[in-house]
Structure formats: structure tokens, C-alpha cells
């Protein structure tokens, strides 16, 4: 691809250097240099950040952005961050996301015992949010289902996951009578564990044979209809409709 002369000129006129622009956008100087020398088009989020820093329009710098579909743009913009491991995100960060919820909290997991083990007063937090009008839905795995058994074999965990599902049920059972909180048990193959608070979501991906805490974690924020966030939300809703209530 030809060099992006328009970007080069705007950079020079702005008084920015490649290094200062990179620091402003949150990338590295080599990436900025490639945008100029190779004409590479950055992700839409970065393109708009660069345009704001340079006092111009992103489509002036990268006309091809105009040709991208709205659906693709929404998918790109929904992705806020990628963490190599779920364990890279602290318990405080997890708590802050859910504590900030004002409308809904949705959780789709097999067990996710780290929520109870690492976040003090997890059940109390859910009760407090429900008491404030937040809709809380929790989906945990059926310890007797085939999908949970297979996942245990895949992760060389044996009956460990089944035991963790039993523990999750024990932890959540006291919440089943709380107004605004619904807990259900599902038997689906869990391709991703999903944690949603309003328009924020963590997606814990699952690599074959790797325990959940060691798998990559995506952080999403809903920016437009039809993006990644909505796709994962629809998946969670589909599982909800197949699940049965957790018995008290």
C-alpha cells in the first residue's frame, strides 16, 4: 500500500511526533510509523482517536473507513481490551464492574467460584443491586449433565468441575428467594463464560484443555446495535431459555 501522505502532513502540522501521538492514542511509535509508511488502516477506535488528536476527520486520513459496514464498525468498537488470562484482572476490577450496574447483571458459567472466593460479600452485592432495581440472572452448570462431564475430561479435572458446579449451586441457593434475582441451571456446552453488567461485559474464552482462569478474557462495551456485545448477549439469552430454575 502507498504511504499515507495526508497523515504525515497532519502529524507535522499538529506539532505531534510519532512518539507523542502514540502515547496519546495508547499505542507504540512503530505502529504510528507503519500507519504512515505503509498506509495501513488502524482499528476504527484508534483512527478516531488519532483524528481528534490531529484536529481532523478520520475519514480524511483513511477514506476506506467510510466503506466499512456499520456492523463491522460496531464489532470493532465493542472490543475494549484483551487480557491474556482471566486471572490478569483483579478481584477489585471485577467487583467494580458489577457494583456499577444500574439495570441488569447476567452471568453464564459452569461454576465461576472465584466470584465467591475472591470477592468478599458477593451474594450481598447481588442482593444490594437487586434491591436497587437491578435485574440479576445467574446461569450455572448442571453437575450431572454430559457437557460438564466432558469439560472435566478435557481439562484433566475429572469430577472437579462437577464438584464445583455443586458448590456454585450451594452458594447461589440462598439467593433464589430474593426478589429480582433468578438463578437457573443449564446443560449446554459452554463455549464462553459471560459476565455482563449493563453495557459492560467480560467474555472468558475457553481453549481446549485449559482451565478458565488461564484462558483469554475479552472486555466489551456496547457501542452500537448488532456488534459483538449484542451477539454474546443473544447467546446468553438463548441459554437462559433452555435452563431450569435452581431448586431452593
Amino acid at each position: 500500500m502507498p504511504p499515507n501522505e495526508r497523515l504525515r502532513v497532519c502529524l507535522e502540522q499538529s506539532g505531534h511526533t510519532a512518539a507523542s501521538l502514540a502515547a496519546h492514542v495508547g499505542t507504540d511509535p512503530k505502529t504510528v510509523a507503519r500507519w504512515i509508511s505503509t498506509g495501513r488502516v488502524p482499528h476504527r477506535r484508534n483512527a478516531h482517536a488519532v483524528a481528534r488528536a490531529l484536529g481532523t476527520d478520520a475519514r480524511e486520513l483513511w477514506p476506506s473507513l467510510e466503506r466499512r459496514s456499520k456492523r463491522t464498525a460496531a464489532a470493532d468498537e465493542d472490543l475494549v481490551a484483551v487480557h491474556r488470562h482471566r486471572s490478569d484482572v483483579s478481584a477489585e476490577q471485577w467487583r467494580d464492574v458489577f457494583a456499577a450496574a444500574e439495570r441488569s447483571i447476567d452471568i453464564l458459567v459452569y461454576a465461576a467460584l472465584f466470584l465467591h472466593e475472591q470477592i468478599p460479600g458477593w451474594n450481598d452485592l447481588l442482593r444490594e443491586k437487586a434491591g436497587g432495581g437491578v435485574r440479576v440472572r445467574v446461569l450455572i452448570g448442571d453437575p450431572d449433565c454430559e457437557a460438564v462431564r466432558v469439560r472435566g475430561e478435557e481439562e484433566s479435572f475429572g469430577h472437579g468441575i462437577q464438584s464445583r458446579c455443586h458448590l456454585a449451586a450451594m452458594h447461589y441457593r440462598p439467593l433464589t428467594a430474593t426478589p429480582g434475582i433468578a438463578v437457573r441451571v443449564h446443560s449446554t456446552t459452554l463455549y464462553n463464560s459471560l459476565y455482563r453488567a449493563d453495557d459492560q461485559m467480560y467474555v472468558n474464552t475457553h481453549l481446549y484443555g485449559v482451565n478458565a482462569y488461564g484462558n483469554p478474557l475479552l472486555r466489551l462495551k456496547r457501542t452500537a446495535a448488532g456488534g459483538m456485545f449484542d451477539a454474546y448477549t443473544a447467546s446468553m439469552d438463548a441459554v437462559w431459555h433452555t435452563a431450569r430454575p435452581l431448586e431452593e
Side-chain angles (χ1 to χ4, degrees):
M1 298 177 63
N4 190 328
E5 292 299 331
R6 174 63 177 165
L7 177 58
R8 188 194 307 277
V9 170
C10 286
L11 182 64
E12 292 174 354
Q13 293 177 343
S14 71
H16 270 294
T17 64
S20 66
L21 181 62
H24 185 86
V25 174
T27 185
D28 61 84
K30 290 183 179 179
T31 298
V32 174
R34 284 194 292 271
W35 292 340
I36 297 171
S37 63
T38 68
R40 181 176 298 179
V41 180
H43 289 297
R44 185 176 294 263
R45 182 176 62 253
N46 285 338
H48 285 285
V50 168
R52 287 193 296 270
L54 302 183
T56 187
D57 188 279
R59 291 166 295 185
E60 292 294 323
L61 298 175
W62 294 283
S64 62
L65 287 174
E66 182 69 20
R67 297 191 292 269
R68 292 184 179 180
S69 69
K70 292 182 179 180
R71 181 177 294 275
T72 300
D76 288 346
E77 293 172 1
D78 281 358
L79 182 60
V80 175
V82 179
H83 303 276
R84 176 60 185 87
H85 304 107
R86 189 192 74 192
S87 56
D88 292 340
V89 177
S90 68
E92 291 76 14
Q93 289 174 285
W94 282 94
R95 182 181 181 86
D96 288 348
V97 167
F98 290 108
E102 297 179 348
R103 302 185 308 277
S104 62
I105 290 174
D106 291 309
I107 297 170
L108 168 60
V109 296
Y110 275 155
L113 294 182
F114 76 96
L115 295 172
H116 284 96
E117 294 170 348
Q118 298 178 24
I119 300 178
W122 173 245
N123 276 9
D124 291 336
L125 173 61
L126 296 183
R127 289 191 186 97
E128 178 184 345
K129 301 312 293 186
V134 175
R135 183 203 66 185
V136 179
R137 300 189 303 179
V138 179
L139 283 155
I140 58 176
D142 180 348
D144 299 320
C145 75
E146 180 69 4
V148 167
R149 184 192 66 77
V150 170
R151 181 61 57 85
E153 292 180 355
E154 292 173 351
E155 297 182 7
S156 301
F157 208 18
H159 295 291
I161 294 182
Q162 292 168 291
S163 298
R164 293 176 76 80
C165 288
H166 279 296
L167 282 173
M170 179 189 73
H171 284 307
Y172 283 112
R173 192 165 281 115
L175 298 179
T176 56
T178 303
I181 298 179
V183 184
R184 292 187 180 183
V185 178
H186 73 96
S187 57
T188 63
T189 300
L190 197 63
Y191 298 106
N192 302 279
S193 297
L194 305 178
Y195 307 83
R196 176 188 180 184
D198 292 344
D199 290 337
Q200 304 281 342
M201 184 185 295
Y202 279 127
V203 179
N204 192 179
T205 65
H206 291 292
L207 302 176
Y208 183 87
V210 180
N211 296 134
Y213 68 85
N215 285 325
L217 185 76
L218 312 180
R219 181 163 186 172
L220 306 181
K221 180 177 180 179
R222 190 177 191 273
T223 59
M228 291 175 65
F229 187 98
D230 283 355
Y232 283 113
T233 298
S235 173
M236 188 183 301
D237 288 342
V239 176
W240 180 260
H241 292 303
T242 70
R244 57 177 173 80
L246 175 66
E247 297 177 358
E248 295 184 25

